[in-house]
Amino acid sequence: MTLLVRLLAICGLAAALSAEPAKVAGKWNVTLQLEAITGHPVILLKQDGEKLTGTYESTRYGQSELKGSIKEKEIEFSVAFVAEGMQTQGVFGGTVDGDTMSGNCSFDGAGDGTWSASRVKSQ
């Protein structure tokens, strides 16, 4: 019985250690490819455990608030802004791999696409 308890404790500890969210706080350069649009916004992420907040800035539409979450290496965030006189929302989902991340996205009125980002190194 003692061996079983030890094995369960070790498995529980391993699961707890692997559940740590990736560290994504900082500035990221994004490449966004939608059906008819390519963009290069910059995102600034703030992280509190699994909770993400920050800003999404594009040269065309300015700066907007970003909200999302990170669970282990899986990231999700959304942003809303006015584009061409209409309120639009972008939803991003993907995977973090060190100083890069990538995945799929969808924008109201602009369709689905893919995105990738690389962390801007602090100087």
Side-chain angles (χ1 to χ4, degrees):
M1 185 71 166
T2 306
L3 180 59
L4 178 60
V5 171
R6 286 183 186 166
L7 286 174
L8 289 173
I10 291 170
C11 290
L13 180 60
L17 291 175
S18 68
E20 176 96 8
K23 304 297 184 210
V24 296
K27 187 175 183 180
W28 296 78
N29 288 326
V30 179
T31 298
L32 173 65
Q33 181 66 53
L34 299 174
E35 294 167 4
I37 301 168
T38 299
H40 299 282
V42 173
I43 58 175
L44 181 59
L45 297 175
K46 296 176 185 174
Q47 183 173 359
D48 183 10
E50 293 183 347
K51 180 183 175 184
L52 299 177
T53 57
T55 57
Y56 176 100
E57 185 172 359
S58 73
T59 54
R60 187 170 186 170
Y61 302 115
Q63 192 175 83
S64 301
E65 184 178 334
L66 174 151
K67 292 182 181 182
S69 64
I70 178 94
K71 290 183 176 33
E72 296 184 28
K73 293 184 178 188
E74 299 299 314
I75 189 168
E76 295 179 346
F77 59 92
S78 63
V79 60
F81 54 88
V82 176
E84 314 307 329
M86 297 183 65
Q87 183 72 25
T88 187
Q89 180 172 352
V91 178
F92 295 74
T95 305
V96 177
D97 184 11
D99 289 335
T100 63
M101 53 183 160
S102 62
N104 296 310
C105 60
S106 178
F107 273 84
D108 296 340
D112 298 335
T114 60
W115 66 279
S116 61
S118 58
R119 189 187 308 262
V120 175
K121 301 288 184 190
S122 57
Q123 301 197 11

